[in-house]
Amino acid sequence: SKSPAPPPVDEEEAARKLQIEIDELLELQQEQAKYEEEMARLEQQIAAAKGGEDQQALLSMIRKANSEKSATGDKDPNTDLKREVAKREAELTRMRNDYRQFKEAGRQAGFDRRTTTIKAHGPEEETPQPNPGGWFKAVAGVLSGRPAEPQTASD
């Protein structure tokens, strides 16, 4: 019995996949080399700090490393997101301050939502309450335990 023949191999597709894998490996190798350089620099700084060497030399190493990092353009991939969050936080803070100022201006003008009185420019006056009649009086009378007053035609 013969085994089925393997499917035909598309050489172009296989070459393309191989090239993609080679590119990924080269990228990983470059990244590894960058990390190894960074580790060597950090180990050198740690050894200099532990050894108590000249502090000026240590500071110059740190400055040099920071300038190299900024020159190569290595930046946090989330920098744009952090900037957007900072903008929105600043906007929220501004809106809160505007609200507080508006609220305080209302209090100074005589409106205070926590009370039932309206502070006018003159003496304090009670907020006019609606004059309920009809069924409202009857319900209020029942709830208060007093008999309802007889209804008149004017109510």
Side-chain angles (χ1 to χ4, degrees):
S1 76
K2 293 183 178 180
S3 63
V9 176
D10 184 9
E11 290 183 21
E12 289 181 18
E13 181 68 19
R16 188 181 63 79
K17 287 181 180 180
L18 182 63
Q19 186 60 44
I20 289 172
E21 288 182 20
I22 290 172
D23 291 343
E24 288 176 358
L25 285 173
L26 286 173
E27 188 177 312
L28 289 172
Q29 184 181 16
Q30 290 171 349
E31 193 173 320
Q32 181 183 5
K34 184 177 84 171
Y35 287 134
E36 286 174 355
E37 288 175 12
E38 180 79 14
M39 288 297 295
R41 184 183 57 77
L42 289 173
E43 287 173 359
Q44 185 182 13
Q45 288 177 353
I46 291 170
K50 284 183 178 178
E53 294 180 12
D54 183 23
Q55 285 191 350
Q56 290 301 323
L58 181 62
L59 288 175
S60 67
M61 278 193 295
I62 293 172
R63 285 188 193 118
K64 181 181 174 189
N66 288 339
S67 66
E68 287 174 0
K69 189 172 184 180
S70 63
T72 59
D74 289 345
K75 63 179 185 177
D76 186 10
N78 296 324
T79 302
D80 294 334
L81 293 174
K82 289 177 181 177
R83 189 175 294 127
E84 182 68 26
V85 167
K87 279 184 192 177
R88 290 186 183 201
E89 285 176 343
E91 182 180 357
L92 179 61
T93 300
R94 183 189 55 77
M95 291 172 71
R96 283 180 178 154
N97 289 336
D98 289 349
Y99 171 75
R100 287 185 190 118
Q101 290 173 356
F102 177 76
K103 189 171 156 184
E104 186 58 32
R107 283 194 183 134
Q108 289 175 357
F111 176 75
D112 189 352
R113 67 174 179 82
R114 296 174 295 182
T115 64
T116 58
T117 61
I118 295 177
K119 301 173 187 170
H121 295 294
E124 288 188 10
E125 299 175 11
E126 281 293 319
T127 304
Q129 298 292 325
N131 184 11
W135 67 271
F136 187 81
K137 278 187 178 180
V139 170
V142 169
L143 292 176
S144 67
R146 294 178 296 177
E149 298 175 8
Q151 296 290 322
T152 61
S154 65
D155 280 350

